[in-house]
Amino acid sequence: MLFICAIAAITLERWVMKWGMNRSMAIGLAVILLIISINSLSSSLPISIAILVISGIALGILFIAQIPWCLSNLPIDRAGLATGLYFGGMGAANALVTLIIQLGFKG
């Protein structure tokens, strides 16, 4: 999925600039939510491949929009703080979801 994000980044960057950061993040999150819903209903290989590609594109939109959004919300002299908050928040969210999944499978 990350490979698809990297390939699509050149085209996606134009769309993100056209839509704006807030709208792009909302679109990316909405598509990911829709794809997760569809994924739970299907077990077909072609549909799974399509879901993988669409998820990669939606995640690419999020990746392209999130860091500039973080940097634009704090003053320039706090760019390191903005970037650290972004990556720290992403790491904390990942750890929390991993913990929830692990606890869910044990119980």
Side-chain angles (χ1 to χ4, degrees), residues 55-75:
S55 297
I57 292 170
L59 192 60
I61 290 171
L62 282 175
F63 282 158
I64 291 169
Q66 284 177 337
I67 293 177
W69 181 81
C70 289
L71 291 172
S72 70
N73 284 309
L74 287 176

Side-chain angles (χ1 to χ4, degrees), residues 49-97:
I49 292 171
I51 286 171
L52 177 72
V53 171
I54 294 169
S55 297
I57 292 170
L59 192 60
I61 290 171
L62 282 175
F63 282 158
I64 291 169
Q66 284 177 337
I67 293 177
W69 181 81
C70 289
L71 291 172
S72 70
N73 284 309
L74 287 176
I76 281 289
D77 63 334
R78 301 285 185 188
L81 175 62
T83 307
L85 287 172
Y86 169 74
F87 285 113
M90 293 294 286
N94 187 20
L96 181 63
V97 169

